[in-house]
């Protein structure tokens, strides 16, 4: 690869842009009392640890598109108004209950991500056990935007069985609490529990669920997820498989993403790393198809395909320079599965299939109809394996301060 291309990569990996370049978002609520956000995003469950990995998430510079940005800002404002109308109550099983933070009794932390922590919570008024994602309102516009985007997408995706269901939200001066259906755990943590490959039949069902969820997002809401990875795929002991975390999802304009936003380097498609015109991103949903392919290789082999890389930069360089990962022939995967993964990991995004084409693939067709006991498998794994050690080091403090307000 020539020098010029290296230069392009370096520019794209440079730190966050100047504030003036970012999307403006102001939460019209009282001052944030929460101070700056804790280091949760840095200590989020890692899918694979590089010896000295600089950052899990990349904040790619946002290009200056004043028009796109002002439209985006207006949309964010509108979103906020809509969401504010829906806060302060939870709607569970068709019933609407007024709710405030003191109605939420924490039963422990179950995860953490880029925007905050997720807790298992008992809703005092009804006894329902649910998941609550707490996001601090730091005043950081990018984070606020993620909070709103996540809420907006889950609230409107109530009719998709492959997307995590939201019961509502509670907004305080310092935090946003998003109440969701409680799932068992994510595919990332399952992989860590098993310390080996996840069976093809489970991944077959997972593929059907995730492709369906992504297609739903695109067709129904014109949204691209942009952060498809094992930690955003949730499973439970009923055998359900659902997509979560829409914090960095983006609206599609003419089926293309017009903003860059953040993303997880490890799963990022080549066309997002090295776009033809870096000042004008216009990748489409096929970027998520690539991320799904990387996730499938990781879960099917039990190993992240770029695991030997020391930095995100090294991963990105390999994604651009090397042949795409594939399922090893030695592991006896079906030809269908191998071919499906190969299609997802087509380096040239113009040749990579979109969802409708993927849904016609024999791998998906097979798993759409095949009966697989995902529930039994999930329960057996949870019973026979130990929970991976949490990377959180302040969860006790979090628990005390959070729910005793
Ligand atoms: P963030 O938006 O901050 O990145 P996520 O939504 O990705 O947070 O959640 C972080 C982790 O919390 C997930 O990887 C998963 O392990 C756990 N989690 C999230 N939502 C749920 C849920 N509804 N039920 C069970 N676990 C969940």
């Amino acid at each position: 690869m020539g020098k010029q291309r290296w230069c392009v990569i370096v520019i794209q990996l440079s730190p966050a842009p100047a504030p003036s370049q970012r999307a403006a978002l102001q939460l019209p609520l009282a001052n944030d009392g929460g101070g700056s956000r804790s280091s949760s995003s840095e200590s989020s469950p890692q899918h694979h640890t590089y010896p000295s990995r600089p950052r899990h998430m990349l904040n790619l510079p946002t290009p200056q598109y004043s028009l796109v940005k002002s439209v985006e800002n207006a949309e964010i404002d509108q979103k906020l108004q809509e969401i504010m109308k829906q806060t302060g109550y939870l709607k569970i099983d068709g019933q609407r209950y007024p709710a405030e933070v003191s109605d939420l009794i924490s039963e422990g932390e179950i995860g953490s991500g880029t925007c905050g922590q997720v807790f298992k919570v008992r809703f005092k008024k009804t006894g329902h056990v649910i998941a609550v994602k707490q996001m601090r309102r730091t005043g950081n516009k990018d984070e606020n935007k993620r909070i709103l985007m996540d809420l907006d997408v889950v609230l409107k995706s109530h009719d998709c069985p492959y997307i995590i269901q939201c019961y509502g939200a509670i907004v305080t001066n310092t935090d946003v609490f998003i109440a969701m259906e409680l799932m068992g755990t994510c595919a990332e943590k399952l992989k860590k529990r098993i310390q080996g490959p996840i069976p093809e039949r489970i991944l077959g069902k997972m593929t059907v669920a995730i492709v369906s969820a992504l297609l739903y997002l695109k067709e129904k809401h014109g949204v691209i997820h942009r952060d498809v990875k094992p930690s955003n795929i949730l499973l439970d002991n009923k055998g359900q498989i659902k997509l979560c975390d829409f914090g960095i999802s983006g609206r599609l304009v003419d089926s293309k993403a017009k903003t860059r936003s953040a993303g997880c380097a490890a799963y990022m498609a080549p066309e997002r790393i090295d776009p033809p015109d870096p000042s004008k991103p216009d990748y489409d949903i096929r970027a998520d198809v690539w991320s799904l392919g990387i996730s499938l290789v990781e879960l099917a082999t039990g190993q992240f395909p770029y695991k030997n890389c020391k930095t995100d930069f090294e991963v990105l360089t390999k994604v651009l320079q090397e042949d795409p990962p594939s399922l090893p022939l030695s592991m006896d995967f079906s030809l269908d599965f191998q071919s499906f993964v190969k299609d997802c990991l087509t380096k040239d995004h113009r040749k990579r299939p979109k969802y409708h084409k993927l849904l016609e693939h024999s791998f998906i067709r097979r798993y759409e109809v095949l009966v697989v006991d995902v529930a039994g498998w999930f329960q057996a794994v949870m019973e026979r394996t130990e929970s991976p050690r949490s990377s959180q080091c302040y969860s006790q403090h979090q628990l005390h301060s959070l729910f005793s307000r």
Side-chain angles (χ1 to χ4, degrees), residues 111-116 118 131 133 181 183 186 189 231-232 234 245:
S112 71
T114 38
C115 285
V118 183
K133 178 143 98 176
E181 67 181 311
M183 297 289 283
C186 64
K189 286 185 188 149
S231 61
N232 287 336
L234 303 176
D245 193 1

Side-chain angles (χ1 to χ4, degrees), residues 94-108:
Q95 286 274 4
R96 205 175 129 130
Y97 308 95
E100 44 192 71
V101 180
S102 58
D103 296 321
L104 307 176
I105 312 295
S106 171
E107 296 192 351

Side-chain angles (χ1 to χ4, degrees), residues 291-319:
S291 309
L292 173 65
I294 297 288
S295 305
L296 287 175
V297 173
E298 178 178 0
L299 297 173
T301 58
Q303 310 259 359
F304 179 65
Y306 302 102
K307 69 175 190 311
N308 294 325
C309 294
K310 292 188 178 60
T311 62
D312 282 340
F313 184 79
E314 214 178 316
V315 175
L316 296 173
T317 307
K318 277 188 189 256
V319 172

Side-chain angles (χ1 to χ4, degrees), residues 47-48 50 53 55-58 227-230 263-269 273 290-291 294-295 298 304-306 311-313 315-316 319 325:
H47 30 276
H48 43 82
Y50 305 124
R53 201 168 173 205
R55 274 181 72 86
H56 177 55
M57 302 293 289
L58 289 178
D227 203 14
V228 174
K229 57 184 179 181
C264 185
Y267 302 88
M268 203 176 274
I273 302 168
W290 173 278
S291 309
I294 297 288
S295 305
E298 178 178 0
F304 179 65
Y306 302 102
T311 62
D312 282 340
F313 184 79
V315 175
L316 296 173
V319 172

Side-chain angles (χ1 to χ4, degrees), residues 10 28-29 119 144 165 169-170 179 195 254 296 314-315 348 390:
V10 172
L29 294 166
F119 297 87
N144 287 342
Q165 293 302 291
I170 300 171
Q195 292 182 13
D254 296 332
L296 287 175
E314 214 178 316
V315 175
D348 181 347
S390 167

Side-chain angles (χ1 to χ4, degrees), residues 47 66 78 106 121 160 191 270 305 321 353 355:
H47 30 276
S66 41
Q78 196 193 339
S106 171
V121 161
C160 179
K191 186 195 93 181
Q321 290 182 340
Y355 301 132

